[in-house]
Amino acid sequence: MTSDQGFLADCRARLAFDLLAHTWNAVVLWALREGPVRHGELRGRIGGISQKVLTETLRRLEFNGLVDRRAHGGAPPRVEYELTALGRTLLPAIDAVGAWAFEHGDDVLAAQDRHGHPHAATSPGRCRRHR
């Protein structure tokens, strides 16, 4: 990619942005950074995510090669999820975006308030705003 136009049009770049743009992808990847975890424990780590949405997100991340699903025999059967080597490569980018959000999130929320954005009160950034 040698020009800004090439970067914007490159399907691999769009793929990467799409992976990080989905509401729960980065959150689930970040929650898996410490190693394998079962579905219920993962849901508890994240908070605010339904079982259905977590399952859909894990399937999407598995489909994209970012998460491995491992079924263990026994009664009852046990399933664990963990990051693949490819999934781990996204952690620095997620950390960088998170750091940016921590530093500039209030500025974005203030801009939304100034513009009277109809969804400003319920935007994802509102979940951790402290006044």
Side-chain angles (χ1 to χ4, degrees), residues 16-27 53 56-57 60-61:
F17 291 131
D18 286 346
L19 285 172
L20 291 177
H22 189 279
T23 302
W24 291 105
N25 284 358
V27 173
V53 170
E56 291 169 353
T57 302
R60 182 174 45 256
L61 294 172

Side-chain angles (χ1 to χ4, degrees), residues 81-92:
Y81 298 90
E82 70 178 312
L83 293 176
T84 63
L86 180 61
R88 290 200 162 280
T89 65
L90 275 173
L91 293 177

Side-chain angles (χ1 to χ4, degrees), residues 51 90 108:
Q51 183 171 339
L90 275 173
V108 172

Side-chain angles (χ1 to χ4, degrees), residues 92-128:
I94 294 168
D95 189 40
V97 171
W100 181 90
F102 184 79
E103 185 174 341
H104 301 287
D106 286 342
D107 297 330
V108 172
L109 295 171
Q112 289 176 358
D113 288 344
R114 282 192 308 275
H115 290 280
H117 190 274
H119 302 293
T122 59
S123 70
R126 299 292 168 165
C127 61
R128 295 201 175 160

Side-chain angles (χ1 to χ4, degrees), residues 2 13 34 46 54 59 62 65-66 79 84 91 93 97 108 110 113 117:
T2 58
E34 295 175 7
I46 294 170
L54 178 56
R59 286 180 183 156
E62 184 180 11
L66 304 174
V79 176
T84 63
L91 293 177
V97 171
V108 172
D113 288 344
H117 190 274

